[in-house]
Amino acid sequence: MNVKITKGIGLVAVLYFTANFHAQTAPKDTVQKEQKIEEVVMIGYGTQKKSNVTGSISSLKASDIEDIPTGRPEQVLQGRAAGVSVISNSGQPGSPATVRVRGITSFGAGSNDPLWVVDGIVVDNIAWLNQADIEGMEILKDGASAAIYGVSAARGVILITTKKGAKGRLNLSYNGFFGVGNAAKKLDLLDASQYATIMNEANMNDGRDALFSSPSSYGKGTDWQDVIFNSAQRSSHDFSISGGSDKSTFFASFGLYEQQGIVMRDISNYKRLNGRINSTHKVLNWLTVGQTLAYTHVKAAGINENGEFGGPLSSAINLDPITPLIVTNGIANQPFPSDYNNPFILRDGMGNPYGISHYVNKEMSNPLAFQQTQLGRNRYSDDFIANVFAEAKFLNHFTFKSSINGKLSYWGNQGFSPKFYLSPSFKNDTFNSLFRETQKRFDWNTENTINYQNKFGDHNLSVLLGQGYYEFNIASGQNTTYTNLPVNSWEDASFNFDIAPENRTGNAWDGKETHKTSYFARVVYDYKNRYLFTGTMRRDGSSKFGRNNHWGNFPAMSLGWNLSNENFWRENNVVNSVKLRGGYGVLGNDAIDDFQFASFLVPGSNYSFGNNNIIIGYAPSTLENPDLKWERTSQLNLAVDLKLFRNFDLTVDVYRKKTTDILRRVNIPGYVGVTNNPWRNIGDMNNDGLELSLGYKKNWGDFGMNANGNFGYLKNEITRLEDNKIFENFASFQSMGAVSRLQVGAPYGSFFGYQNAGIFQTQAEINDYKNSNGGLIQPNAKPGDFKRIDVNGDGKITEDDYVNLGNSVPKYTFGFTLNMNYKNFDFMLFAQGQAGNKIFQGLRRLDIQDANYQTAILDRWTGAGTSNTIARVTRDDPNQNYTRMSDYYLQKGDYLRLKLVQVGYTLPKNISETIGASKVRFYVTGENILTFTKYTGYDPEIAGGDTFGIDRAYYPQSRTFLFGANVQF
């Protein structure tokens, strides 16, 4: 970091001399001071002028996001802020996005999701939030800016404010769109003739007879991807009304969002209803009260988003194309008619049975038949979010604010599982079942702050003192299951049937409440808007940790220097303003399950006495750890903010983020006698990064342009694991075992496996690949098999030869937004992408020998010199070419996506006023238009919580075209 600091000092000198040179050479009468409207940003429990902000904060306003047609509000952050990675978990309607602020903070305690704060209310997610209600978003990225939130801020903090009313006339607005989406890409899979040819070759390579006598006679066969993919409608309607007087203001809104899935829309869909009322009331000259109240209802159905063990996507990829979709020519004409004799076989509306594959089994099944077993399954949620506050101003410079905040959630799921027969290995011919689960949770908190703000000549001072109390997980739940119903369809199933008691089961549970108490303080000072200081301290007490570590302190400090406000800085046309920033802060992470420091007695340890006399016994669930404490993340940030050539804004941040005492479960011997491994603080990790943001804005008469780009670089490294452990297996794939690791000295979740050195072309090459004792290093290999590198030189190929094959987490993220307007026309283009990561393509089932292949297999090795990258096909795979992890399965995950293109037209005022409207705008939007990538799967944008870059049959994002309208009255 010293090198970087030295470079920063050198940069300041260059800027100073460059600015003064141009100031001396530019005619003074042509250099005019800019007339600025000071931009204000949220900093947590308050606001601050952007020109005086010393922390690293990225901001988005309503105008930046209001025309982005997303189904989840967190997705609007994608590509918009340097250092903030947003990756869709899937293209399924309602699926969340994985949001990471400056990389992965932890690899043990809970998720790495940021802390969400909406209108001052700390919430666990923002799925309930209507994007149209958002007024602004601030991402607190560094330790100095986020430390005001203490023990929960290590993963970053995202502040969201919703729209409020304003004094003046009543305003009504409508914003809506309708569109249709489709799959942007299909995989190149073998058709029936190609499949029969490859299967014959695989059998003969293992010394077996060919399966199919005439491969060419099968033609193209069934295209299972055509079966599962469909067009999908998406629509959104948002209405709002706002207004106010000198005493009161209000904002009310209603929204309806509906989306069908591009994969089997009858069992993949999403619907959300939103309502909100915000108001403020000036009761007295010194007293203001207000409230926010929001309600959201969601109902959704979904399929497996990224899983190899069944579901429509995995089945469509793996099913053989020889099996027909529907049997219309009689089951006697099928190769294996006995498959169709089961009474619970599923049929179409004409009574014809759905085709059953004899070659590809397990959970792989005819998607149309599978869909019938899933109808009626759905999940729901109802969220109520409320905030009430009172704000009193006294003694000229003091403001006291008290608020009570809460979130009440109800959610659950229900469904019916009929008797069915999809294949000999995937069936339910014993009993049907109807189930329903309901849960509720209430979180609430109260916060009190007092703020002193004053100006003494050239000195500006703001002091904040605050206190908060928080209650989490006041929760309960229950479920009920009825079996052996007298009906076998979800339309007819009901809990009103009189079912025998032995066919009824139910469970209920209560949540474990946790509490947190906090005290916090902040001092913000500046002198002549030149020298800037912010100091923060938060003290948190949490019931999640043991008696030795209930309390933690989280300090932070940041400094700034508005260099261009100095008297010696001369006005010029090149470097218009310069601000240097630097800060250091300590943050915490308490995202573990409740009371993991304690050992509770649990049932299950039963004993037998005498003549089979069973006594129910209890035993400790784990070992007590009174020293358990929060993770600690310290972060150093150095930055410069520049305005160049009057129209360019450039921000550069360099940071080091170090997490210590990472919370993880420790492995203990079984003879200790507990059922759960205890938690300890046993890990460290570093994140070093660079962030660049560049904006340009200018108007030329009727034409205006606004362009913004950002770039982020991240270097991640695990520096310590449990005790002396070097690595720990992370994500696994089928029978292959672990494909990624947590390893000291390597980035989080790196892929590890065999490094291939091409393919053995001849038996002589196999015979020449010997160890020091003269034995064959790969004795099971045959010509056409992969040659593995013996990394450790022990003369054999084992997992000890696994090497780091690449990152699962992208090193580089970038985004670009272009807005242009000419008279009544407007245009927006948004592109984003990532680079420096690998994707594991695990689309084929390894335990199903006759599963289909992608057409890349046609370039396999078939003789000396035919291929050096794709091994021969074989059913038994004695060399483990395809059943062990190697670089064969990894592809570059780099991509650049044209995410959004929008063209709009606003009606002239004389036309819109004829219907009483102040503005009428129509627009056409294209979403996910083009993706530039070398990845051969459906979609290179793959996440799933804290596991990145593993494609198990990923539900792709759709390419969608929408038509919308904005109307304001």
Side-chain angles (χ1 to χ4, degrees), residues 129-140:
L129 183 62
N130 186 358
Q131 176 187 325
D133 290 343
I134 297 175
E135 179 66 28
M137 306 175 78
E138 264 80 33
I139 305 101
L140 312 185

Side-chain angles (χ1 to χ4, degrees), residues 818-891:
L818 174 65
N819 288 279
M820 295 188 295
N821 60 276
Y822 177 72
K823 293 186 177 180
N824 288 14
F825 290 92
D826 59 84
F827 172 81
M828 178 173 65
L829 180 149
F830 170 51
Q832 58 84 217
Q834 64 186 36
N837 65 302
K838 295 290 183 67
I839 297 176
F840 176 90
Q841 197 198 70
L843 298 178
R844 187 173 186 268
R845 279 290 291 269
L846 303 177
D847 57 341
I848 302 177
Q849 294 174 322
D850 294 326
N852 202 7
Y853 287 90
Q854 295 182 62
T855 56
I857 201 68
L858 299 176
D859 295 325
R860 72 209 175 279
W861 186 93
T862 56
T866 55
S867 177
N868 203 38
T869 55
I870 302 178
R872 67 191 180 102
V873 290
T874 166
R875 286 170 59 89
D876 296 340
D877 198 16
N879 191 58
Q880 298 181 324
N881 295 320
Y882 299 108
T883 53
R884 299 297 288 176
M885 175 60 176
S886 74
D887 55 5
Y888 167 78
Y889 280 100
L890 296 182
Q891 298 180 20

Side-chain angles (χ1 to χ4, degrees), residues 406-422:
K407 180 184 178 186
L408 176 62
S409 299
Y410 296 87
W411 72 97
N413 62 86
Q414 60 185 13
F416 178 72
S417 180
K419 293 181 181 180
F420 62 83
Y421 183 87
L422 297 178

